[in-house]
């Protein structure tokens, strides 16, 4: 009942029906609606990374990201927003692999996630961030941030 009530609250805040929210939850992805100032406006799903919706809404998306990858994420997303401003397409997206901080038993643990970041046009424009947990970090301490075209698996660029 609590999950249904939470899904109902999310669906009302972002214009999704509760069945759509349930389907998104079943994917195992974290789905967030984020302002261009990085504020999480709605956490459509959050549980796969160990956070509740309430822990994320109103906070910065960057708190989920490994600090060493903040700059790469910000610069890449700013480039996406700038490119989308001149595009005729109603939506522009990119895929990135990056480190996230999973919330487990009150502590943060780094893991690698695969995310799609999409520009949602409107007033104001927003980001739709869909992230899937990939694997525990085995990077020998180095960054893992990589950017891919949204609909292709090949490497587009490396930061």
């Amino acid at each position: 009942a609590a999950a249904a009530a939470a899904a109902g609250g999310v669906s009302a805040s972002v214009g999704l029906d509760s069945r759509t929210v349930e389907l998104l939850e079943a994917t195992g992805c974290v789905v967030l609606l984020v302002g261009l100032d990085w504020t999480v406006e709605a956490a459509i799903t959050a549980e796969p990374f160990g956070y509740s919706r309430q822990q994320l809404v109103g906070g910065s998306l960057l708190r989920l990201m490994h600090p060493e990858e903040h700059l790469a994420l910000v610069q890449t997303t700013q480039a996406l927003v700038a490119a989308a401003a001149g595009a005729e397409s109603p939506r522009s997206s990119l895929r990135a692999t990056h480190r996230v901080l999973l919330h487990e038993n009150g502590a943060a643990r780094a893991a690698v996630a695969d995310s799609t970041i999409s520009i949602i046009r409107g007033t104001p424009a927003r980001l739709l961030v869909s992230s899937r947990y990939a694997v525990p970090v085995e990077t020998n301490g180095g960054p893992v941030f990589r950017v891919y075209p949204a609909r292709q698996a090949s490497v587009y660029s490396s930061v």
Side-chain angles (χ1 to χ4, degrees), residues 46-130:
E47 299 296 329
F49 286 178
Y51 295 89
S52 69
R53 290 181 174 105
Q54 295 79 12
Q55 288 175 303
L56 298 180
V57 173
S60 175
L61 172 70
L62 297 177
R63 77 178 271 210
L64 295 174
M65 306 299 166
H66 193 283
E68 292 177 6
E69 295 184 356
H70 285 184
L71 182 60
L73 176 69
V74 169
Q75 290 176 337
T76 301
T77 304
Q78 287 173 339
L80 176 68
V81 170
E88 293 180 22
S89 169
R91 190 178 69 161
S92 298
S93 301
L94 62 82
R95 280 186 54 221
T97 54
H98 55 89
R99 289 178 288 177
V100 295
L101 299 175
L102 302 179
H103 189 263
E104 295 179 341
N105 302 319
R109 179 175 69 85
V112 177
D114 177 32
S115 297
T116 300
I117 302 171
S118 302
I119 303 295
I120 306 299
R121 293 180 192 253
T123 305
R126 295 183 174 108
L127 303 171
L128 182 67
V129 180
S130 173

Side-chain angles (χ1 to χ4, degrees), residues 12-73:
S13 70
V14 295
L16 299 174
D17 62 68
S18 59
R19 180 67 178 145
T20 301
V21 173
E22 288 176 24
L23 291 171
L24 288 170
E25 288 172 339
T27 67
C29 293
V30 171
V31 181
L32 306 171
L33 185 64
V34 179
L36 296 182
D37 65 352
W38 302 104
T39 301
V40 176
E41 296 177 4
I44 301 165
T45 63
E47 299 296 329
F49 286 178
Y51 295 89
S52 69
R53 290 181 174 105
Q54 295 79 12
Q55 288 175 303
L56 298 180
V57 173
S60 175
L61 172 70
L62 297 177
R63 77 178 271 210
L64 295 174
M65 306 299 166
H66 193 283
E68 292 177 6
E69 295 184 356
H70 285 184
L71 182 60
L73 176 69

